[in-house]
Amino acid sequence: MNTEEIIKALYDQTLAGNAPAVLELTQEALTMGIGPDSILFDALIPSLEEVGARFERGDYFVPEMLIAGKAMSGALNVLRPLLAETGAESIGTFLMGTVKGDVHDIGKNLVNIMLEGAGFNVIDLGVQTPPEKFIAGIREHKPDIVGMSAFLTTTMPMFKVNIHEITKAGLRDEVIIMVGGAPVTQEYADAVGADGYAADASTAVRLAKEMIKQRRDKVLV
Ligand code: B1M
């Protein structure tokens, strides 16, 4: 198979939720010298976008979405060390979680991988994270940034609840709060009182670095 064929096969097999084939093709693509970012952005992510579109049209149901997600996660495990390859020193601690009521974690995991690659120490609270777990995480790990992901319009309001609870616990000034996830927008992030929003993993990394620098510069003035 040439590059184009293997990318197409990865796209098709992810769409079909064929985890063993996706794993095998990912390894084959890497052996051929195809970059991990190309595997991700040219095959896996577009395929999951199509899964979502089919779900919206009623052509796919939850089980199809689930197996496609599993196939993607398997490939992500192989790509993780390659995407996160770095010699960088830790530039800050990032506490991350998907909000309460939400089980989506592929996007969050991808952001984590890219953050680790950029030199962040990432503490992942997992999915369905209630406000008290964010608060306990802040007390325990003293992160520079708290990241919250939400992937459903019904779970996005948890950002506001979390920020309210963090404020009530007296911890709001200690941390930068960043939000993201497919349905989230800059306007929504502003409305709930977050400090930052990013639409994708690489923007999230850039913004996280910028916000940490701004905060440290402010302390030095
Ligand atoms: Co769900 N699901 N799902 N699902 N699912 C979506 C999100 C949906 C858009 C599909 C659709 O209708 N088109 C839709 C949400 C509609 C809405 O609310 N607007 C939906 C629905 C409705 C549901 C259920 C309610 C279905 C049901 O049960 N009837 C249900 C909810 C369960 C729950 O959470 N309580 C459900 C369940 C599931 C599965 C479990 C089957 C599975 C999840 C598997 C898993 O994550 N382990 C699943 C999947 C796979 C999807 C789709 C197909 C793919 C999501 C994904 O992984 N995308 C999705 C459709 C879609 O998004 N196209 C869909 C790839 C990922 C790399 O992108 O997640 O956007 P994304 O992450 C990006 C950015 O958002 C950003 O960076 C990431 C990387 O670039 N980002 C951040 C993420 N977090 C960030 C944090 C930041 C900054 C940036 O700062 C802190």
Side-chain angles (χ1 to χ4, degrees):
M1 271 193 272
N2 62 29
T3 300
E4 209 175 295
E5 285 165 346
I6 204 152
I7 291 290
K8 166 96 174 53
L10 266 165
Y11 176 95
D12 290 342
Q13 294 304 327
T14 306
L15 201 56
N18 186 348
V22 172
L23 208 58
E24 208 174 296
L25 285 161
T26 300
Q27 264 140 2
E28 200 179 325
L30 291 171
T31 312
M32 281 169 64
I34 300 174
D37 44 349
S38 172
I39 296 174
L40 198 57
F41 296 112
D42 298 333
L44 303 176
I45 292 182
S47 184
L48 275 201
E49 276 164 11
E50 177 58 21
V51 171
R54 289 187 183 192
F55 178 76
E56 263 175 53
R57 291 200 302 267
D59 294 337
Y60 266 20
F61 299 95
V62 174
E64 282 94 345
M65 213 152 64
L66 189 62
I67 56 169
K70 281 203 173 135
M72 162 96 176
S73 295
L76 218 50
N77 287 338
V78 175
L79 299 179
R80 177 183 279 270
L82 303 168
L83 291 165
E85 227 164 51
T86 173
E89 275 175 47
S90 174
I91 51 172
T93 298
F94 203 109
L95 184 76
M96 180 75 136
T98 297
V99 299
K100 184 175 171 183
D102 201 320
V103 303
H104 295 85
D105 67 355
I106 298 169
K108 166 184 71 62
N109 293 345
L110 191 51
V111 176
N112 287 350
I113 291 173
M114 304 291 253
L115 285 167
E116 281 165 8
F120 278 90
N121 169 30
V122 178
I123 291 134
D124 186 1
L125 298 175
V127 296
Q128 308 235 51
T129 312
E132 52 277 18
K133 202 167 166 189
F134 278 109
I135 289 169
I138 297 171
R139 291 205 167 111
E140 186 184 348
H141 302 287
K142 307 203 172 355
D144 299 281
I145 306 185
V146 176
M148 301 171 189
S149 293
F151 302 93
L152 299 166
T153 41
T154 50
T155 57
M156 276 164 51
M158 281 312 296
F159 290 150
K160 196 167 182 180
V161 175
N162 290 339
I163 293 173
H164 175 74
E165 291 302 320
I166 290 169
T167 307
K168 232 171 70 186
L171 297 167
R172 181 65 184 94
D173 292 340
E174 314 285 310
V175 290
I176 296 165
I177 296 183
M178 204 168 141
V179 296
V184 186
T185 60
Q186 182 68 59
E187 290 68 33
Y188 192 82
D190 293 341
V192 297
D195 301 309
Y197 155 78
D200 55 57
S202 44
T203 315
V205 171
R206 207 180 54 235
L207 185 65
K209 283 183 177 169
E210 268 169 32
M211 289 196 300
I212 286 198
K213 186 175 179 306
Q214 271 170 19
R215 175 164 286 212
R216 287 180 185 163
D217 287 351
K218 216 158 129 193
V219 172
L220 291 177
V221 169

